[in-house]
Amino acid sequence: QVRLVESGGGSVQAGSSLRLSCEASGNAGGIDMAWFRQAPGKEREGVAAIARDGTTYYADSVKDRFTISKDNAKNNLYLEMNALKAEDTATYYCAADRRVSVWLRLAATEYAYWGQGTQVTVSS
């Protein structure tokens, strides 16, 4: 079992930056992790993922603005978000699984463990 707890959300102006954190506990070694987001009335979408070997994957909408990273010693996951836009407003979720298909890194169905989410609101 893996427990995930996100933090770092907030309300900011467009163009600002935020850093989200996800603390993983339990049997959290050697897992693939990712960030997803869900805006009201929309489906949950993959934002960024990081494999156990450190390879990163990004949605086109956040590429060059967001950076995913992981502290393997602490099993903590981070999402550095820069140049935030109003369309980035959503609840952001941390997700993890022991084996995610390389072709489906940003597919929510690949992840068994989820955090409770943290709200990010960007005003223009």
Side-chain angles (χ1 to χ4, degrees):
Q1 192 74 9
V2 178
R3 182 169 180 260
L4 304 171
V5 179
E6 304 96 335
S7 61
S11 297
V12 297
Q13 295 285 328
S16 299
S17 299
L18 275 177
R19 187 186 195 220
L20 304 183
S21 299
C22 173
E23 181 177 344
S25 59
N27 190 11
I31 55 176
D32 295 320
M33 301 185 77
W35 287 100
F36 289 78
R37 67 185 181 187
Q38 188 167 20
K42 294 188 176 181
E43 292 189 359
R44 191 167 297 190
E45 65 169 342
V47 174
I50 186 165
R52 282 165 286 170
D53 65 0
T55 305
T56 57
Y57 306 80
Y58 294 95
D60 288 342
S61 59
V62 305
K63 204 170 294 183
D64 299 327
R65 297 190 298 123
F66 290 11
T67 303
I68 189 171
S69 61
K70 186 181 178 190
D71 182 336
N72 287 316
K74 298 180 179 179
N75 287 323
N76 286 352
L77 184 71
Y78 305 99
L79 186 67
E80 187 75 35
M81 305 185 294
N82 298 315
L84 282 162
K85 305 175 182 179
E87 50 263 44
D88 295 319
T89 295
T91 300
Y92 283 71
Y93 297 90
C94 175
D97 202 282
R98 303 221 171 275
R99 191 171 298 276
V100 177
S101 170
V102 66
W103 306 110
L104 298 171
R105 294 287 183 191
L106 295 180
T109 52
E110 288 288 298
Y111 295 86
Y113 303 106
W114 292 85
Q116 82 290 347
T118 185
Q119 178 67 35
V120 172
T121 302
V122 184
S123 56
S124 56

Tab-separated table of all heavy atoms in Angstrom, residues 37 39 42 45 61 65 84-90 92 122:
chain	number	residue	atom	x	y	z
A	37	ARG	N	-4.359	16.444	-13.192
A	37	ARG	CA	-5.205	17.548	-12.763
A	37	ARG	C	-6.606	17.370	-13.317
A	37	ARG	O	-6.803	16.709	-14.343
A	37	ARG	CB	-4.626	18.890	-13.206
A	37	ARG	CG	-4.611	19.127	-14.714
A	37	ARG	CD	-3.890	20.436	-15.036
A	37	ARG	NE	-3.871	20.716	-16.474
A	37	ARG	CZ	-3.197	21.716	-17.013
A	37	ARG	NH1	-2.473	22.545	-16.245
A	37	ARG	NH2	-3.226	21.904	-18.318
A	39	ALA	N	-10.112	19.828	-13.807
A	39	ALA	CA	-10.870	21.066	-13.678
A	39	ALA	C	-12.352	20.716	-13.611
A	39	ALA	O	-12.773	19.659	-14.094
A	39	ALA	CB	-10.589	21.968	-14.873
A	42	LYS	N	-14.485	18.718	-16.319
A	42	LYS	CA	-13.561	18.129	-17.292
A	42	LYS	C	-13.020	16.811	-16.759
A	42	LYS	O	-13.050	16.540	-15.562
A	42	LYS	CB	-12.411	19.081	-17.585
A	42	LYS	CG	-12.848	20.358	-18.297
A	42	LYS	CD	-11.642	21.161	-18.739
A	42	LYS	CE	-12.061	22.395	-19.529
A	42	LYS	NZ	-10.880	23.180	-19.992
A	45	GLU	N	-6.746	14.746	-16.392
A	45	GLU	CA	-5.734	14.668	-17.427
A	45	GLU	C	-4.340	14.564	-16.833
A	45	GLU	O	-4.042	15.148	-15.791
A	45	GLU	CB	-5.809	15.884	-18.361
A	45	GLU	CG	-5.496	17.202	-17.701
A	45	GLU	CD	-5.326	18.342	-18.689
A	45	GLU	OE1	-5.119	18.074	-19.896
A	45	GLU	OE2	-5.384	19.504	-18.252
A	61	SER	N	0.550	20.679	-23.172
A	61	SER	CA	0.051	21.944	-22.632
A	61	SER	C	0.935	22.533	-21.543
A	61	SER	O	0.824	23.725	-21.235
A	61	SER	CB	-1.369	21.751	-22.097
A	61	SER	OG	-1.381	20.764	-21.082
A	65	ARG	N	7.011	24.652	-19.308
A	65	ARG	CA	6.571	25.498	-18.183
A	65	ARG	C	6.621	24.742	-16.860
A	65	ARG	O	6.905	25.339	-15.821
A	65	ARG	CB	5.139	25.998	-18.410
A	65	ARG	CG	4.968	26.887	-19.620
A	65	ARG	CD	3.586	27.535	-19.629
A	65	ARG	NE	2.510	26.547	-19.698
A	65	ARG	CZ	1.534	26.458	-18.793
A	65	ARG	NH1	1.496	27.267	-17.753
A	65	ARG	NH2	0.577	25.540	-18.932
A	84	LEU	N	2.294	30.347	-14.982
A	84	LEU	CA	0.959	29.770	-14.848
A	84	LEU	C	-0.073	30.570	-15.624
A	84	LEU	O	0.001	31.801	-15.721
A	84	LEU	CB	0.577	29.691	-13.374
A	84	LEU	CG	1.232	28.518	-12.625
A	84	LEU	CD1	1.178	28.756	-11.127
A	84	LEU	CD2	0.563	27.215	-12.986
A	85	LYS	N	-1.036	29.826	-16.174
A	85	LYS	CA	-2.114	30.426	-16.953
A	85	LYS	C	-3.455	30.108	-16.286
A	85	LYS	O	-3.551	29.156	-15.503
A	85	LYS	CB	-2.117	29.844	-18.366
A	85	LYS	CG	-0.806	29.970	-19.113
A	85	LYS	CD	-0.882	29.263	-20.459
A	85	LYS	CE	0.440	29.347	-21.201
A	85	LYS	NZ	0.384	28.643	-22.508
A	86	ALA	N	-4.463	30.874	-16.633
A	86	ALA	CA	-5.792	30.639	-16.062
A	86	ALA	C	-6.262	29.213	-16.347
A	86	ALA	O	-6.923	28.595	-15.509
A	86	ALA	CB	-6.785	31.656	-16.610
A	87	GLU	N	-5.901	28.689	-17.501
A	87	GLU	CA	-6.328	27.335	-17.870
A	87	GLU	C	-5.611	26.236	-17.088
A	87	GLU	O	-5.946	25.060	-17.213
A	87	GLU	CB	-6.164	27.092	-19.374
A	87	GLU	CG	-4.809	27.461	-19.918
A	87	GLU	CD	-4.805	28.853	-20.544
A	87	GLU	OE1	-5.377	29.791	-19.938
A	87	GLU	OE2	-4.201	28.996	-21.636
A	88	ASP	N	-4.639	26.606	-16.269
A	88	ASP	CA	-3.995	25.642	-15.381
A	88	ASP	C	-4.798	25.440	-14.099
A	88	ASP	O	-4.456	24.572	-13.284
A	88	ASP	CB	-2.586	26.101	-15.009
A	88	ASP	CG	-1.646	26.139	-16.201
A	88	ASP	OD1	-1.704	25.210	-17.034
A	88	ASP	OD2	-0.859	27.103	-16.299
A	89	THR	N	-5.829	26.223	-13.909
A	89	THR	CA	-6.667	26.099	-12.718
A	89	THR	C	-7.316	24.721	-12.670
A	89	THR	O	-7.982	24.304	-13.612
A	89	THR	CB	-7.752	27.185	-12.718
A	89	THR	OG1	-7.135	28.462	-12.606
A	89	THR	CG2	-8.719	26.986	-11.553
A	90	ALA	N	-7.096	24.018	-11.564
A	90	ALA	CA	-7.614	22.663	-11.409
A	90	ALA	C	-7.219	22.130	-10.040
A	90	ALA	O	-6.429	22.753	-9.334
A	90	ALA	CB	-7.041	21.744	-12.492
A	92	TYR	N	-5.025	19.369	-8.459
A	92	TYR	CA	-3.878	18.585	-8.889
A	92	TYR	C	-3.718	17.372	-7.976
A	92	TYR	O	-3.756	17.498	-6.748
A	92	TYR	CB	-2.619	19.442	-8.874
A	92	TYR	CG	-2.553	20.376	-10.052
A	92	TYR	CD1	-3.415	21.468	-10.144
A	92	TYR	CD2	-1.652	20.170	-11.098
A	92	TYR	CE1	-3.380	22.323	-11.244
A	92	TYR	CE2	-1.610	21.017	-12.188
A	92	TYR	CZ	-2.473	22.087	-12.257
A	92	TYR	OH	-2.433	22.937	-13.349
A	122	VAL	N	-5.564	29.964	-10.747
A	122	VAL	CA	-4.782	31.003	-11.408
A	122	VAL	C	-5.743	32.038	-11.972
A	122	VAL	O	-6.596	31.716	-12.803
A	122	VAL	CB	-3.914	30.425	-12.533
A	122	VAL	CG1	-3.030	31.524	-13.127
A	122	VAL	CG2	-3.065	29.268	-12.023
